[in-house]
């Protein structure tokens, strides 16, 4: 949550879909399956294969596809927390992109590669050669060939004009949806027709993704990278998704309208195509040493401007606040709000709004931003010495607790949602209220961002002993093994290089 989240925003507490939205947002943040070919603002590249970015501008000057990407670029950067700038990491990504460009379907296509300042695991492309990769994805990857696998896949979207094709398909579907809404009197029939339209779009996109996978693996092999890196990194992303899931045993394939094929299918296909370049382990270069050197010191997790998540605790030094969520909850710190989900379909949203008028908090709760509010439940309260107010709201399938807390000219808001009739509402909301407090100046000053640190294994080091040096998580061993793609039964040898997360 950035300090920008203090700007006023509307929250509809009666929406029965809100807790589900929170869950979906958490899932989307950890999956490369969020790869997009967005089609819908001008951008000076901070890093590109060319030493003179103005050459790219000249090449793309009259390209309508590049103009489409340029229009959308500012929104993409803003929604992912801005650009991430680190000279050695930018050089690393440019090196990989340059090698792939030479063997792409269209070597004359110029690319603008942007590292997004987001811990999410994601990469995507815009028409005209705009490529994006998050620093979260760079932290998860273990060598240059894995990042090359991601970028070659996205470059394939560009060269195959998937962004243009998808835009046309979506425009046609919008028109069809309007006809359905206006012509069909049966609400059920209308919903069924709209659902079929969404499935048609999803199937179309799945075909695009498989085509991009095939092109991407070919580019990997022809550029001299390990062609099996695509399958290997898909495995890593699946492991990360399981690690981040509130319910690790949930079936990860049940994403009904996922725009990507089933991961197991993609991994199998990627390995089959890679065999064209030789046996696994004997084909191409992984580029591990220069890759690890390029990401050593990379910012990991939340940026200082958005606050920090440390296990079950959210801390924001600039705002000077902190609170805990109950055990078993997973926190997702987004630009617009802090979300948390827990067992039993429980969801929490936390954000802040400016309050120049200094109105009473009971009046603020009843001012219209919470629909479904139960006015008789509005109460004044005190939260660790701070002025507060609470209330309840209801929707068809959900019960809500609304808690607002004032610090000077800011109102901080907690919305807790549970399935209707659940006994978990009050205990969950009570954890938030009892732990929310101001940070001391010493606490705020001691906050430091987490970074990826590359360490060399020494005599006597073991996986548990190095994992014990991890920071920012109470699952140190699991996270260490996951970010280093260490399988069950793996061991370390003297001289090996591994990633840890520390300040």
């Amino acid at each position: 949550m950035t300090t920008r989240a203090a700007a006023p925003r509307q929250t509809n507490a009666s929406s029965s879909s809100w807790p589900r939205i929170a869950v979906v947002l958490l899932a989307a943040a950890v999956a490369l399956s969020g790869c997009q070919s967005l089609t819908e603002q001008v951008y000076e590249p901070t890093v590109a294969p060319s030493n003179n970015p103005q050459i790219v501008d000249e090449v793309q000057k009259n390209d309508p596809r590049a103009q489409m990407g340029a229009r959308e670029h500012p929104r993409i950067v803003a929604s992912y927390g801005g650009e991430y700038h680190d000279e050695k990491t930018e050089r690393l990504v440019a090196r990989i992109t340059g090698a792939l460009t030479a063997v792409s379907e269209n070597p004359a296509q110029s690319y603008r590669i942007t590292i997004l300042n987001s811990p999410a695991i994601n990469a995507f492309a815009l028409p005209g050669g705009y490529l994006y990769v998050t620093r979260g994805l760079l932290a998860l990857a273990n060598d240059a060939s894995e990042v090359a696998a991601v970028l070659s896949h996205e470059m394939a979207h560009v060269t195959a004009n998937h962004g243009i094709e998808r835009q046309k398909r979506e425009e046609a579907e919008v028109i069809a949806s309007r006809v359905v809404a206006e012509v069909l009197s049966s609400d059920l029939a209308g919903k069924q027709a709209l659902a079929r339209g969404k499935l048609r779009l999803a199937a179309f996109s799945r075909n695009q993704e498989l085509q991009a996978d095939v092109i991407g693996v070919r580019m990997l092999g022809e550029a001299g990278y390990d062609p099996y890196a695509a399958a290997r990194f898909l495995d890593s992303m699946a492991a990360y998704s399981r690690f981040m899931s509130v319910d690790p045993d949930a079936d990860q394939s049940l994403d009904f309208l996922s725009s990507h094929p089933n991961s197991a299918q993609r991994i199998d296909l990627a390995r089959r195509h890679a065999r064209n370049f030789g046996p696994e382990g004997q084909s191409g270069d992984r580029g591990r040493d220069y890759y690890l050197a390029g990401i050593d010191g990379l910012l990991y997790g939340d940026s200082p401007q958005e606050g920090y998540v440390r296990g079950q605790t959210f801390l924001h030094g600039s705002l000077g606040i902190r609170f805990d969520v109950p055990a078993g909850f997973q926190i997702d710190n987004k630009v617009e709000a802090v979300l948390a989900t827990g067992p039993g379909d429980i969801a929490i949203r936390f954000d802040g709004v400016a309050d120049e008028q200094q109105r009473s908090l009971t009046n603020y709760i009843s001012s219209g931003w919470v629909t479904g509010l139960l006015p008789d439940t509005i109460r004044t309260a005190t939260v660790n010495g701070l002025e507060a107010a609470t209330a309840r709201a209801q929707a068809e399938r959900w019960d809500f607790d609304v808690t607002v807390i004032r610090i000077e000219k800011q109102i901080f808001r907690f919305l807790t949602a549970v399935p209707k009739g659940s006994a978990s509402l009050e205990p969950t909301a009570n954890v938030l209220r009892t732990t929310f407090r101001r940070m001391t100046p010493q606490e705020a000053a001691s906050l430091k961002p987490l970074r990826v640190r590359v360490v060399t294994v020494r005599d006597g080091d073991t996986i548990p002993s190095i994992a014990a040096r991890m920071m920012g998580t109470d699952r140190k061993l699991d996270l260490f093994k996951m970010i280093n793609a260490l399988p069950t039964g793996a061991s370390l040898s003297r001289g090996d290089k591994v990633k840890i997360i520390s300040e």
Side-chain angles (χ1 to χ4, degrees):
M1 174 181 151
T2 68
T3 52
R4 292 193 302 274
R9 56 184 288 112
Q10 293 296 316
T11 303
N12 184 350
S14 71
S15 170
S16 63
S17 66
W18 170 73
R20 295 290 185 185
I21 290 172
V23 175
V24 170
L25 285 171
L26 282 171
V30 301
L32 177 66
S33 60
C35 142
Q36 305 159 52
S37 295
L38 300 173
T39 56
E40 290 232 306
Q41 288 185 26
V42 182
Y43 158 60
E44 294 297 328
T46 55
V47 56
S50 169
N51 290 326
N52 183 0
Q54 293 304 315
I55 294 175
V56 179
D57 287 337
E58 189 65 28
V59 168
Q60 296 185 340
K61 181 170 59 177
N62 299 314
D63 184 351
R65 294 168 301 177
Q67 292 167 12
M68 293 172 64
R71 286 194 305 270
E72 188 66 15
H73 175 80
R75 185 183 70 82
I76 295 298
V77 171
S79 65
Y80 277 85
E83 297 184 29
Y84 179 76
H85 294 292
D86 179 273
E87 187 176 347
K88 68 178 181 179
T89 306
E90 291 171 322
R91 283 200 306 266
L92 169 68
V93 176
R95 172 179 177 176
I96 297 170
T97 307
L100 294 170
T101 301
V103 298
S104 71
E105 300 282 289
N106 179 12
Q109 172 71 58
S110 54
Y111 293 92
R112 301 166 181 265
I113 178 76
T114 300
I115 304 174
L116 296 169
N117 188 21
S118 170
I121 311 298
N122 215 340
F124 44 89
L126 294 177
Y130 285 77
L131 300 179
Y132 302 86
V133 61
T134 60
R135 58 173 170 80
L137 186 145
L138 297 178
L140 180 62
N142 276 286
D143 56 52
S145 69
E146 292 184 356
V147 174
V150 173
L151 293 178
S152 62
H153 175 96
E154 299 307 331
M155 292 166 78
H157 280 311
V158 173
T159 57
N161 283 327
H162 284 164
I164 307 293
E165 293 176 13
R166 184 164 186 177
Q167 183 190 39
K168 292 177 180 177
R169 186 66 174 257
E170 288 175 346
E171 287 171 350
E173 211 56 61
V174 167
I175 294 171
S177 298
R178 288 174 182 164
V179 172
V180 167
E182 292 171 5
V183 174
L184 293 180
S185 58
S186 166
D187 184 53
L188 176 61
K191 288 180 178 178
Q192 288 174 339
L194 292 176
R196 286 194 298 270
K198 289 182 178 180
L199 283 170
R200 286 195 299 271
L201 279 176
F204 178 73
S205 183
R206 279 192 287 268
N207 290 335
Q208 290 180 328
E209 295 302 331
L210 291 173
Q211 182 185 5
D213 281 345
V214 173
I215 297 172
V217 171
R218 180 197 60 75
M219 290 171 61
L220 268 182
E222 293 187 2
Y225 286 113
D226 176 7
Y228 293 88
R232 199 166 61 246
F233 193 63
L234 285 168
D235 279 333
S236 289
M237 287 190 299
Y240 189 83
S241 182
R242 290 192 298 270
F243 176 85
M244 294 296 289
S245 173
V246 173
D247 181 4
D249 297 321
D251 186 344
Q252 301 293 315
S253 69
L254 297 178
D255 186 358
F256 179 60
L257 287 179
S258 171
S259 62
H260 285 63
N262 177 275
S263 291
Q265 178 192 13
R266 293 184 71 191
I267 292 169
D268 178 62
L269 288 173
R271 284 205 169 94
R272 275 198 275 157
H273 290 300
R275 292 189 192 113
N276 293 326
F277 294 91
E280 189 166 3
Q282 302 176 33
S283 307
D285 177 37
R286 291 193 175 190
R288 179 170 169 82
D289 287 343
Y290 73 80
Y291 182 76
L292 292 179
I295 65 165
D296 191 16
L298 181 75
L299 187 64
Y300 183 85
D302 303 311
S303 65
Q305 294 79 17
E306 296 177 359
Y308 301 96
V309 176
R310 297 289 187 268
Q312 307 304 114
T313 304
F314 175 76
L315 311 98
H316 201 303
S318 299
L319 297 176
I321 58 170
R322 60 173 292 162
F323 64 85
D324 298 337
V325 298
F329 277 64
Q330 178 71 49
I331 301 176
D332 186 21
N333 182 18
K334 293 190 168 294
V335 172
E336 70 276 10
V338 179
L339 306 175
T341 52
D345 283 342
I346 305 174
I348 297 164
R349 178 189 173 96
F350 170 79
D351 65 5
V353 296
D355 180 38
E356 298 291 339
Q357 301 176 18
Q358 296 285 291
R359 67 192 115 174
S360 76
L361 292 181
T362 55
N363 286 343
Y364 174 71
I365 284 183
S366 61
S367 62
W369 64 280
V370 179
T371 53
L373 181 71
L374 303 175
D376 292 345
T377 66
I378 299 176
R379 301 284 187 273
T380 60
T382 301
V383 171
N384 286 318
L386 300 169
E387 179 190 357
T390 65
R392 294 291 169 89
Q394 290 183 342
E396 182 181 355
R397 296 169 46 227
W398 304 97
D399 291 333
F400 297 87
D401 177 273
V402 184
T403 297
V404 295
I405 306 166
R406 187 199 310 282
I407 296 181
E408 298 171 353
K409 294 184 178 181
Q410 293 266 330
I411 295 176
F412 295 101
R413 315 187 296 191
F414 286 105
L415 288 175
T416 304
V418 301
K420 201 164 192 66
S422 170
S424 300
L425 183 58
E426 180 58 28
T428 303
N430 194 52
V431 170
L432 305 174
R433 288 193 289 262
T434 56
T435 61
F436 182 91
R437 64 174 176 83
R438 288 180 186 256
M439 296 176 65
T440 67
Q442 293 77 17
E443 285 177 316
S446 68
L447 280 178
K448 295 179 181 178
L450 297 177
R451 297 186 181 275
V452 175
R453 303 294 184 187
V454 178
V455 299
T456 302
V457 176
R458 298 173 297 187
D459 289 334
D461 283 339
T462 64
I463 289 178
S465 70
I466 297 182
R469 298 160 60 181
M470 299 273 287
M471 300 177 65
T473 178
D474 54 0
R475 299 164 62 191
K476 296 183 178 184
L477 181 59
D478 291 341
L479 182 59
F480 175 75
K481 293 170 70 173
M482 190 269 299
I483 64 171
N484 287 286
L486 295 174
T488 301
S491 60
L492 299 177
S493 302
R494 184 180 184 274
D496 287 347
K497 294 184 185 299
V498 293
K499 297 178 290 184
I500 65 169
I501 307 303
S502 66
E503 293 179 345

